[in-house]
Amino acid sequence: MLSKYPLSEVEKSFLEESGVDKISTLIPYLQVDNFPKLGLLTACRFLEWAAANPEGVISLPTGKTPEFFIKWTQFLLENWDNKKGKEVREKYGLGSTKKPVLKGLTFVQIDEFYPISSKQNNSFYDYVNKFYIQGFGLSKEKAILINSDEIPLANGLHFKEVFPDLKVDLTLRFRDPKNEMEKLQQQSIYMIDQWCGEYEQKIRDAGGIGFFLGGIGPDGHIAFNTRGSHIYSVTRLTETNFETQAVAAGDLGGIEVSSNRLVITIGLDTIVYNPEAVAIIIAAGEAKAGIVKDSLETPLNNVFPATVLQKLKNGRFYVTKGAGVKLTDSVDAYYQKGEWTWEKTERAVIDLCKKLGKYGHRLKLSDLKADKYTKLIPDLSEETVNEVMKSIEGKLSKGLEQEKNEVLLHTGPHHDDISLGILPHITNQLHEPTNEAHFSVLTSGFTAVTNTFVIDTLQHTKKLLDNGEIQMVHYEDFFDVGYSLKTDKDVYHYLTNVASENEEQRLRGLYHRVVRALVIVYEIKNKTQLRETINDVISILKNSYDGEKNPAKVQKLKGMIREFEEELVWAHFGVQVKNVHHLRLGFYTGDIFTEQPDKDRDVEPIVEMFRKINPTKISLTLDPEGSGPDTHYKVLQATAAAVKKWGEEKDISDLRIIGYRNVWFKFEPHEANVIVPVSLGDMSVMEDSFANCYLSQVNASFPSYSHNGKFSTVAKRIWVDQLDAIQLLLGKNYFYQHDRAKVRSSHGLIFFRDMNVDEFLTTARELEKSIEGML
């Protein structure tokens, strides 16, 4: 238990509320229900510490992770002595704490990309100044910050002069320079190294960091101390690994930028230098569950950088339930507490197959009795494994059923989500002529389109215009009404040339659609204005730094490129443009902290779509809180609110909701109730349609941290992994000797959950608790 650790009053109150009664990890942790509550816990602990250490040294994180920490800290400071603030303080161990004054604290910046201008909004220097120095009223004079513009370089030059392509070659530390420019760069690298040593010394002269708060990356990095960093590392200029670059791609405008950018980061030893330091790592969502388990249950090890917190008596992890779900404590509690469910039986048996590497039919009763989880199954017998096998076979049978006379509405938060989630299932539905299919992407997805892609596309469009090869602009009614007609023709032209492998003509379909989009977005009235607008947009993007928030019209243009891509995918199967609905929900703004969905702005358009289409089945992403982009979660909440509202207008008791997952998170077999076989042909269709249609995504500027390449490859690997898990239970011969060709040809599986309206709304409500009671 935690009694051997010095718990603060705040930690005691949150521990009590969590109901966790066993902590067996090497670093103690506190668990809360959801992401906003995690922000409340960290804010309370920070303010408690700041009140006791008014002249202390603090280091706080950047990015999306600290959103609710920042909001709760500001809320508590603003409401300390009023009723709202007092209620929170008294509940969470701050009742007798005097309101802290933060201006005496010394702020230490954790890390920064290098080189990056401090004036860019996506620099951590800008973030720290905006949200912490100004937002918390800290002292700018006392702050120890990383400003790339002010780090001295050879001959007093700026980094743009020394590293004109913004690439820093660290091999110059160890080799002879080849020319004068490299000599200058080598001298500058040594000067940066010197600066980093002085930065470290400033922190140590101040007594070391007293309060450290950081997130954790998919590879386990804290600050930019990636997997394999030395336990005794200090502030330094260093390279990062692919996982870290993939996560940073969103901040920097693409992996092309983040893979070439170095970082300056404090070291692991910097974090634990002060033995009295309160050092907290926060983690939210099931996507972090694996690395949380490894970091908390592994002895001090440079492969898991966060294990360094074992050196501190006040080292802590604060996690959401989702992030803690794989901890041995959590798995024990799952099986040992509450009523025993069939889900628990399925999970325990399938996990035992994996643990022992045994096929289901080879599991003996003695194996089940020897395992700490399967031995808990009620009425355990020789038949238990057979019952689980029959249950999984039942799920496969459901996935083979041919649906008829359905009005299907497949929805996704971003373009490509539907395709990456359940395309093989959808192709089965589309082969049946009595089904009517609609597709809707609920956000415009503009953040996934790079400036470079748009500049390149517009330059080619301009060239075709100059050569008179976009004839539609010469029709006299084009700028009045013609631009809005024949959108299916763009799609058909494009795909015809995919078939004939004529890349030049294929791209003409894209350039035609871009012209239509420009006319709509910029209200263009003639050919001259069209050319001027193209030049203006190119100029705006060329003068923007990568990752900069675009003007609203450029965002809309980028979104319309993604919408065209989505139309292309479904046109593969004969779906017309009118059946692909683009909702562009308003909460999706491209800001670092996006708004919560709004009832009128974000929910009403979905309800209106339901009224118009009148679906009998709706599919949607069912990711757990904090897994993948927060857009998934917000779209789910907006959709749930829309289903509820639609249910108040008409009887939707027969409506079915299909919850699917894709590259961001996957279902475990016990969580799904439908399993769909996926053939090599299905995989090829998904891979080909992705490569041919999602032009802005093929270069994978914003890849998954699990794969340096297209998302379609990640999806395929997940389907194959899911087959492996089920094959271990049912045996390989179940598949290749099956009486159905669809099963015999399966080399992957898709899992999803088929729910009625009440089941769906209950699931969504569980997730909605994540924003209840927030400020």
Side-chain angles (χ1 to χ4, degrees):
M1 214 14 250
L2 264 172
S3 54
K4 61 181 177 176
Y5 299 101
L7 282 187
S8 78
E9 293 305 310
V10 165
E11 288 178 324
K12 284 176 191 168
S13 58
F14 275 92
L15 177 65
E16 194 178 326
E17 187 179 82
S18 73
V20 171
D21 54 12
K22 186 183 87 170
I23 293 181
S24 60
T25 51
L26 297 168
I27 301 166
Y29 65 91
L30 285 171
Q31 189 168 283
V32 293
D33 288 339
N34 52 58
F35 191 27
K37 197 68 170 282
L38 189 64
L40 175 60
L41 164 57
T42 46
C44 288
R45 181 68 186 103
F46 168 64
L47 292 170
E48 178 184 43
W49 183 89
N53 300 273
E55 302 287 316
V57 179
I58 62 169
S59 207
L60 304 174
T62 50
K64 291 194 174 184
T65 307
E67 175 181 2
F68 290 108
F69 162 69
I70 291 167
K71 286 179 176 171
W72 274 115
T73 299
Q74 290 174 332
F75 171 84
L76 286 166
L77 287 171
E78 286 163 17
N79 295 279
W80 196 268
D81 292 318
N82 67 23
K83 186 170 179 287
K84 282 197 295 185
K86 277 182 179 170
E87 279 175 8
V88 176
R89 288 199 295 115
E90 279 161 18
K91 187 173 180 182
Y92 294 114
L94 288 172
S96 58
T97 305
K98 197 173 169 223
K99 182 179 177 180
V101 177
L102 303 185
K103 67 171 183 275
L105 297 172
T106 297
F107 184 92
V108 173
Q109 187 174 334
I110 294 175
D111 47 25
E112 181 61 281
F113 301 111
Y114 188 87
I116 189 169
S117 170
S118 59
K119 296 177 185 69
Q120 290 184 200
N121 290 334
N122 59 346
S123 72
F124 292 154
Y125 179 87
D126 181 81
Y127 183 108
V128 161
N129 275 280
K130 186 184 297 170
F131 293 111
Y132 293 136
I133 307 292
Q134 292 164 29
F136 286 8
L138 301 174
S139 163
K140 181 80 181 273
E141 293 67 41
K142 294 183 82 166
I144 302 172
L145 302 177
I146 306 169
N147 181 336
S148 292
D149 293 308
E150 292 178 0
I151 296 174
L153 302 177
N155 301 342
L157 296 173
H158 187 266
F159 66 69
K160 285 180 184 167
E161 299 166 288
V162 179
F163 308 108
D165 58 359
L166 303 183
K167 292 181 185 175
V168 182
D169 181 1
L170 290 184
T171 66
L172 283 165
R173 279 181 177 147
F174 316 112
R175 66 173 174 84
D176 289 336
K178 294 173 184 168
N179 51 46
E180 287 304 311
M181 183 53 121
E182 283 201 346
K183 258 188 209 171
L184 198 68
Q185 291 176 341
Q186 183 184 63
Q187 194 184 339
S188 295
I189 289 167
Y190 292 151
M191 290 175 76
I192 298 166
D193 291 341
Q194 174 69 19
W195 183 92
C196 289
E198 290 165 2
Y199 190 86
E200 178 78 19
Q201 195 58 52
K202 279 184 196 170
I203 298 169
R204 296 192 177 212
D205 288 346
I209 296 165
F211 185 94
F212 174 86
L213 179 63
I216 188 165
D219 69 321
H221 73 249
I222 55 173
F224 274 127
N225 295 286
T226 54
R227 185 182 56 249
S229 292
H230 201 297
I231 292 296
Y232 292 98
S233 55
V234 293
T235 303
R236 65 205 183 280
L237 174 69
T238 185
E239 294 168 333
T240 56
N241 56 14
F242 170 72
E243 294 101 321
T244 306
Q245 291 159 10
V247 172
D251 293 320
L252 292 177
I255 192 78
E256 306 88 344
V257 184
S258 61
S259 62
N260 287 314
R261 199 69 91 243
L262 300 188
V263 294
I264 291 174
T265 180
I266 63 173
L268 295 175
D269 200 50
T270 321
I271 295 168
V272 301
Y273 172 73
N274 176 354
E276 299 301 314
V278 170
I280 299 162
I281 299 296
I282 50 176
E286 290 186 36
K288 293 282 173 73
I291 194 61
V292 166
K293 176 183 171 65
D294 289 334
S295 299
L296 287 176
E297 296 185 358
T298 307
L300 195 61
N301 190 313
N302 68 336
V303 176
F304 303 113
T307 57
V308 77
L309 264 61
Q310 291 172 29
K311 292 182 171 190
L312 296 173
K313 64 183 179 189
N314 290 312
R316 299 279 187 276
F317 264 62
Y318 292 172
V319 301
T320 63
K321 272 189 179 161
V325 78
K326 288 189 177 174
L327 292 172
T328 304
D329 295 341
S330 297
V331 180
D332 286 351
Y334 168 80
Y335 284 112
Q336 291 163 5
K337 290 182 178 179
E339 64 170 314
W340 189 271
T341 60
W342 178 250
E343 262 196 12
K344 290 183 182 182
T345 299
E346 274 192 1
R347 178 178 172 182
V349 170
I350 292 168
D351 284 353
L352 185 60
C353 288
K354 285 185 202 165
K355 272 186 239 173
L356 301 180
K358 273 189 178 184
Y359 288 111
H361 61 271
R362 292 205 173 132
L363 283 181
K364 299 186 176 72
L365 185 57
S366 57
D367 292 326
L368 298 174
K369 286 180 175 175
D371 181 71
K372 72 170 177 175
Y373 301 135
T374 48
K375 73 179 182 185
L376 301 172
I377 297 171
D379 305 318
L380 191 62
S381 72
E382 300 279 0
E383 273 303 296
T384 300
V385 176
N386 287 334
E387 285 165 6
V388 171
M389 290 166 81
K390 278 183 197 145
S391 172
I392 296 296
E393 286 173 35
K395 296 178 185 186
L396 267 161
S397 295
K398 275 192 195 171
L400 290 166
E401 287 172 9
Q402 182 62 64
E403 297 150 292
K404 293 184 177 181
N405 300 304
E406 300 282 5
V407 180
L408 306 154
L409 172 58
H410 294 291
T411 74
H414 305 92
H415 307 83
D416 72 23
D417 274 327
I418 306 168
S419 171
L420 294 170
I422 48 170
L423 182 61
H425 176 60
I426 292 169
T427 55
N428 293 342
Q429 296 173 327
L430 292 173
H431 288 151
E432 170 51 53
T434 63
N435 290 333
E436 177 188 328
H438 294 259
F439 300 86
S440 179
V441 178
L442 276 68
T443 71
S444 83
F446 57 79
T447 57
V449 183
T450 63
N451 291 350
T452 307
F453 180 85
V454 179
I455 290 167
D456 188 52
T457 301
L458 290 177
Q459 284 172 335
H460 280 93
T461 303
K462 193 166 69 163
K463 193 174 173 186
L464 286 187
L465 280 168
D466 291 342
N467 294 341
E469 291 180 60
I470 299 185
Q471 289 138 354
M472 64 183 182
V473 300
H474 303 303
Y475 301 149
E476 58 184 57
D477 69 341
F478 177 74
F479 293 98
D480 296 325
V481 66
Y483 68 86
S484 63
L485 307 174
K486 296 190 178 178
T487 48
D488 280 306
K489 188 181 174 187
D490 302 334
V491 171
Y492 190 76
H493 176 92
Y494 183 101
L495 293 179
T496 298
N497 288 290
V498 166
S500 61
E501 298 183 19
N502 186 333
E503 188 178 2
E504 194 177 312
Q505 284 300 313
R506 178 179 66 133
L507 288 171
R508 273 191 71 192
L510 168 66
Y511 305 145
H512 271 72
R513 179 57 70 88
V514 165
V515 168
R516 297 182 196 276
L518 285 163
V519 173
I520 292 166
V521 174
Y522 291 92
E523 299 176 0
I524 293 167
K525 298 301 178 196
N526 54 57
K527 287 180 277 188
T528 306
Q529 196 186 346
L530 176 60
R531 274 195 180 78
E532 287 170 356
T533 303
I534 289 173
N535 287 332
D536 285 348
V537 176
I538 291 171
S539 175
I540 287 168
L541 293 175
K542 280 189 170 176
N543 289 308
S544 300
Y545 55 80
D546 291 306
E548 183 174 1
K549 184 180 174 182
N550 297 131
K553 287 186 175 179
V554 175
Q555 287 181 344
K556 191 172 180 184
L557 176 64
K558 284 185 170 184
M560 290 177 84
I561 289 171
R562 295 237 65 197
E563 290 166 0
F564 177 58
E565 293 174 343
E566 194 71 15
E567 290 166 11
L568 290 172
V569 171
W570 304 118
H572 270 67
F573 311 99
V575 176
Q576 291 180 292
V577 168
K578 67 182 174 64
N579 279 26
V580 184
H581 310 272
H582 310 297
L583 259 57
R584 306 175 189 167
L585 297 186
F587 76 82
Y588 186 85
T589 59
D591 292 315
I592 188 156
F593 301 142
T594 56
E595 301 170 37
Q596 296 297 337
D598 175 82
K599 192 170 61 180
D600 296 323
R601 181 193 61 198
D602 300 315
V603 175
E604 192 53 41
I606 306 174
V607 181
E608 189 52 45
M609 179 172 66
F610 292 164
R611 292 180 189 125
K612 186 175 157 192
I613 295 169
N614 215 12
T616 57
K617 281 194 176 183
I618 298 170
S619 75
L620 43 78
T621 52
L622 198 68
D623 284 337
E625 165 263 322
S627 299
D630 65 349
T631 308
H632 283 219
Y633 173 60
K634 288 172 180 172
V635 161
L636 177 69
Q637 290 311 322
T639 308
V643 167
K644 196 174 174 187
K645 187 169 181 189
W646 194 39
E648 291 164 4
E649 298 174 8
K650 63 167 283 181
D651 178 10
I652 57 169
S653 53
D654 291 335
L655 178 69
R656 303 299 299 180
I657 310 285
I658 305 302
Y660 66 87
R661 290 177 181 169
N662 52 35
V663 297
W664 299 107
F665 206 73
K666 61 183 183 181
F667 282 115
E668 293 299 328
H670 65 275
E671 296 175 302
N673 58 11
V674 180
I675 298 177
V676 178
V678 181
S679 68
L680 285 173
D682 291 327
M683 291 180 194
S684 295
V685 168
M686 194 265 297
E687 287 263 43
D688 286 349
S689 63
F690 191 96
N692 288 324
C693 302
Y694 292 120
L695 287 174
S696 65
Q697 306 306 298
V698 171
N699 291 335
S701 291
F702 304 97
S704 160
Y705 62 81
S706 64
H707 172 64
N708 190 0
K710 301 194 300 287
F711 277 130
S712 51
T713 308
V714 183
K716 190 171 77 171
R717 286 177 182 175
I718 288 170
W719 298 345
V720 171
D721 286 347
Q722 290 178 169
L723 173 70
D724 288 346
I726 298 304
Q727 272 188 342
L728 198 50
L729 176 72
L730 298 181
K732 288 186 179 178
N733 56 344
Y734 171 85
F735 288 88
Y736 65 73
Q737 293 178 353
H738 202 276
D739 58 353
R740 292 281 296 267
K742 185 73 183 164
V743 179
R744 292 196 300 274
S745 69
S746 60
H747 293 279
L749 295 175
I750 287 172
F751 298 163
F752 63 79
R753 195 186 298 167
D754 183 336
M755 300 166 281
N756 63 31
V757 171
D758 288 341
E759 287 167 335
F760 166 61
L761 291 176
T762 301
T763 304
R765 265 198 298 274
E766 284 301 305
L767 287 169
E768 194 175 20
K769 286 177 186 171
S770 296
I771 53 170
E772 274 178 10
M774 177 60 212
L775 308 192

